[in-house]
């Protein structure tokens, strides 16, 4: 698999504080990588290192296979567009003038492509309206369009939907999906809004206290968090027999409880069980969300660290 970004035992220390503590992660090319962690876990610190805003204390990272210790890392960084924390925009300028200014900063020879960028982010009709009069969602989209100047193929977004209203969140979501699916841009999203991230990400990296706790693809996560029917019956032995005859996957939890996976007809199941004098006491659908998965994962690692300290 080809990776846009790889980090190897990356560390960043500020006096007595370890913002990153041996972080190793891999962002596949073409992915939307959800970088998940609570505030202060090291997400923004990593982004700052990748973008060259700060230097690591130890360890190494690679952008398109080029190490940060090589001079060529400057060329690799040109393939990155980033919105770190808040969009860097000139509030007294129009959207078009903001893009022109970024073109000048990058030393681009002409303003060709600016109208296409504005259309891409849905700001083509803002005319002479200044950015200070934009909604938060419009400012965020303008920030993304500025990050896209220079045609990067790796986009880094730090909390892109933070503070946005529902309509703004939908607009940013659709833009990110469009950039990834239609334009082939790999996207790294740092976020703590897990419900929204679950609608976008193809891969996840979970960070806690400067360490990567887990990397998992969306497909693998879906398997772990798959939906099931939790059922309580008078006798799970009869339930197992009925489910086996129908070829339905299940897991027995106790003498009266079980979890059933896959699509089932509740009416048909109830009739078959009733015919064998087995009563259904309760039945409900369960679905572990990304949020629950994250809480269980981080909660377990926190408990492990406390256990290590007590030993």
């Amino acid at each position: 698999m080809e990776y846009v970004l790889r980090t190897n035992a990356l560390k960043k220390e500020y006096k007595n504080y370890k913002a990153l503590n041996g972080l190793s992660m891999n962002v596949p090319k073409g992915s939307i990588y959800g970088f998940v962690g609570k505030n202060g876990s090291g997400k923004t610190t990593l982004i700052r290192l990748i973008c060259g805003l700060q230097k690591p204390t130890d360890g190494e990272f690679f952008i398109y296979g080029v190490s940060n210790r090589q001079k060529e890392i400057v060329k690799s960084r040109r393939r990155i567009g980033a919105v770190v924390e808040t969009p860097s925009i000139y509030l007294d300028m129009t959207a078009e003038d903001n893009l022109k200014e970024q073109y000048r900063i990058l030393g681009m020879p002409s303003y060709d492509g600016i109208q296409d960028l504005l259309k891409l982010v849905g700001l083509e009709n803002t005319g002479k309206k200044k950015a200070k009069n934009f909604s938060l969602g419009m400012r965020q989209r303008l920030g993304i369009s500025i990050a896209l100047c220079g045609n990067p193929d790796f986009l880094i977004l730090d909390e892109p939907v933070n503070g946005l209203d529902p309509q703004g969140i939908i607009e940013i979501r659709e833009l990110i999906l469009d950039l990834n699916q239609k334009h082939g841009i790999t996207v790294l999203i740092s976020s703590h809004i897990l419900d929204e991230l679950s609608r976008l990400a193809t891969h996840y990296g979970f960070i806690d206290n400067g360490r990567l706790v887990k990397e998992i693809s969306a497909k693998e996560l879906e398997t772990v968090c798959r939906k099931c029917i939790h059922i309580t019956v008078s006798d799970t032995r009869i339930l197992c027999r009925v489910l086996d005859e129908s070829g339905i996957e299940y897991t027995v939890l106790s003498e009266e409880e079980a979890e059933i996976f896959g699509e089932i007809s509740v009416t048909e199941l109830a009739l078959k069980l009733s015919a064998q004098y087995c009563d259904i006491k309760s039945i409900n659908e369960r679905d572990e969300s990304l949020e629950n998965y994250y809480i269980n994962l981080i909660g377990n690692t926190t408990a492990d660290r406390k256990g290590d300290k007590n030993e």
Side-chain angles (χ1 to χ4, degrees), residues 146-188:
I146 292 171
L148 293 172
C149 292
N151 298 316
D153 45 16
F154 182 28
L155 182 63
I156 300 173
L157 302 175
D158 189 11
E159 302 288 356
V161 299
N162 208 17
L164 300 187
D165 60 23
Q167 182 59 36
I169 290 174
I170 292 171
E171 290 170 352
I172 294 297
R173 180 203 310 158
E174 291 177 347
L175 174 58
I176 292 171
L177 289 172
D178 185 59
L179 292 172
N180 177 255
Q181 296 172 3
K182 295 183 180 179
H183 298 271
I185 296 176
T186 303
V187 186
L188 170 65

Side-chain angles (χ1 to χ4, degrees), residues 171-221:
E171 290 170 352
I172 294 297
R173 180 203 310 158
E174 291 177 347
L175 174 58
I176 292 171
L177 289 172
D178 185 59
L179 292 172
N180 177 255
Q181 296 172 3
K182 295 183 180 179
H183 298 271
I185 296 176
T186 303
V187 186
L188 170 65
I189 305 176
S190 164
S191 182
H192 65 273
I193 303 178
L194 302 187
D195 179 62
E196 180 58 29
L197 197 58
S198 67
R199 302 169 189 264
L200 291 167
T202 62
H203 295 76
Y204 297 92
F206 298 92
I207 184 175
D208 187 43
N209 285 334
R211 290 180 177 271
L212 198 75
V213 178
K214 181 78 173 179
E215 270 190 324
I216 189 170
S217 71
K219 288 184 178 179
E220 291 170 329
L221 185 63

